[in-house]
Amino acid sequence: VRHKILELLREKKPSYISGEEMAAFLAVSRTSVWKSIQALQSDGYVIEGSPRLGYRLLIIPDHLYPAEITGNLHTKRIAVNREMIHHYHQVESTNTTLKNLADKDAPEGTIVVAEEQIGGRGRQGRFWLSPPEKGIWLSLLLRPPLPPQDTPVFTLLAAAAVAKSLKIILPELAVGIKWPNDLLINRRKVCGILTELKAEAEFLHYLVIGIGINVNFREKDFTPELRKIATSLYLENGRKNVSRQRLTSVLLNELDKSYTELLSDGPRSIIGQWKKDNITLGKRVVVKNVREAFEGKAVDLNEDGSLIVEGKNGIRKHFHAGEVTLVPMNGG
Ligand code: BTN
């Protein structure tokens, strides 16, 4: 009933619709209409009630409710119906929640979004700060018919899709991808991606791609240490709030497009898109992994997603994992 009431209010906005009319139209009792209105109000919808005129919807909260996102989707595989978007006000980590759903056979394209994560996870066991309503904390479930070795390209795909979405919504911002999947604006990180998988040596059960975007953080929402290396869309966008609902639907559309393309044409176009938006290739870098810290020039991205770095003596190394630091060159 609640969704239907919301639809009616939305259609009538900014005018009133009477409780009686809604009850008759949906063939439910007046009490049930009233209960739905109360539930919507406690979800943050501002609905004005007038004894004579009925109800009208004044403000739609910028929460990532499925009903606010699906309307703008034209996806084929991802979040193709409202039931495939699981929204929570607070979770430990959307990746963890989605892995549990995946273990219970949730279909490909299932999404988990949360307003807040209290145990948000970053790469290499780090903590990911995820305060309420300040960002997009989203995980996507994919079950591609590919071997586990092919998974790095999915992380590149996600990074390229976020970059594209940000360009659509905020065309003035210079967003760049640092290998493999950090998004930076003015050298500060605005988005990170954590891909987790369940696989056997030869068989991939599923992939969970976790995307965290710092959307409406003010300075005070970061810790002082984080503020040195991180930023938000709000801060980079002349201190204007960015709609998380709009960004989420644009992002889901882009992810869907790229994933469909990857399945039909292979990784080439993903690699191309990634390269177009990257700020790593051509730069002097230090790549740290478990074994070493290697300094050199990032010369290319391999078809499998690995980074090719050329050291001083001309030796080229392929990195499949690691942490890249961009080394400022002479003159910046
Ligand atoms: C990184 O270290 O750069 C990766 C950060 C990934 C954060 C996202 S937020 C949604 C999803 N749930 C998590 O716990 N982590 C990812």
Side-chain angles (χ1 to χ4, degrees), residues 134-155:
K134 299 286 175 182
I136 293 174
W137 324 123
L138 176 149
S139 299
L140 161 66
L141 175 65
L142 296 181
R143 300 179 181 277
L146 295 169
Q149 306 83 272
D150 287 6
T151 50
V153 74
F154 288 93
T155 305

Side-chain angles (χ1 to χ4, degrees), residues 93-95 117 120-123 128 137-139 182 189 192-194 210-212:
S93 152
T94 55
N95 269 27
Q117 297 184 114
R121 292 186 284 114
R123 291 168 65 208
W128 183 261
W137 324 123
L138 176 149
S139 299
D182 285 352
K189 182 156 160 174
I193 296 166
L194 175 69
I211 301 174

Side-chain angles (χ1 to χ4, degrees), residues 1-20:
V1 182
R2 231 178 80 168
H3 289 302
K4 297 205 174 118
I5 299 272
L6 181 56
E7 268 166 39
L8 291 177
L9 288 167
R10 214 194 287 271
E11 275 165 27
K12 278 281 170 170
K13 193 173 179 280
S15 309
Y16 288 92
I17 176 167
S18 78
E20 204 177 332

Side-chain angles (χ1 to χ4, degrees), residues 284-303:
R284 181 147 286 281
V285 296
V286 178
V287 192
K288 267 194 217 112
N289 62 16
V290 279
R291 254 171 275 127
E292 59 182 334
F294 186 77
E295 183 165 346
K297 188 178 169 193
V299 288
D300 205 359
L301 183 75
N302 205 24
E303 277 273 296

Side-chain angles (χ1 to χ4, degrees), residues 91-97 112-114 117 119-130 136-140 181-183 189 191-196 208-213 323:
V91 291
E92 255 330 285
S93 152
T94 55
N95 269 27
T96 310
T97 306
V112 170
V113 280
Q117 297 184 114
R121 292 186 284 114
R123 291 168 65 208
Q124 299 169 353
R126 282 185 293 237
F127 179 72
W128 183 261
L129 183 67
S130 324
I136 293 174
W137 324 123
L138 176 149
S139 299
L140 161 66
N181 52 19
D182 285 352
L183 269 84
K189 182 156 160 174
C191 167
I193 296 166
L194 175 69
T195 303
E196 299 185 86
V208 164
I209 303 177
I211 301 174
I213 309 176
E323 199 58 33

Side-chain angles (χ1 to χ4, degrees), residues 170-205:
L170 302 164
E172 271 102 77
L173 291 190
V175 184
I177 311 173
K178 181 170 78 84
W179 185 84
N181 52 19
D182 285 352
L183 269 84
L184 310 187
I185 302 175
N186 293 325
R187 292 172 181 260
R188 289 196 170 99
K189 182 156 160 174
V190 72
C191 167
I193 296 166
L194 175 69
T195 303
E196 299 185 86
L197 65 162
K198 180 165 172 178
E200 291 157 29
E202 305 285 324
F203 183 76
L204 176 65
H205 289 278

Side-chain angles (χ1 to χ4, degrees), residues 247-283:
L247 180 53
T248 303
S249 28
V250 170
L251 174 60
L252 293 176
N253 283 329
E254 287 305 320
L255 287 165
D256 190 78
K257 232 195 284 169
S258 304
Y259 180 49
T260 304
E261 224 168 73
L262 176 67
L263 291 181
S264 60
D265 310 339
R268 180 147 302 163
S269 89
I270 304 300
I271 300 277
Q273 246 172 286
W274 187 95
K275 281 190 182 173
K276 195 163 62 72
D277 288 327
N278 98 92
I279 47 162
T280 314
L281 300 181
K283 299 254 168 69

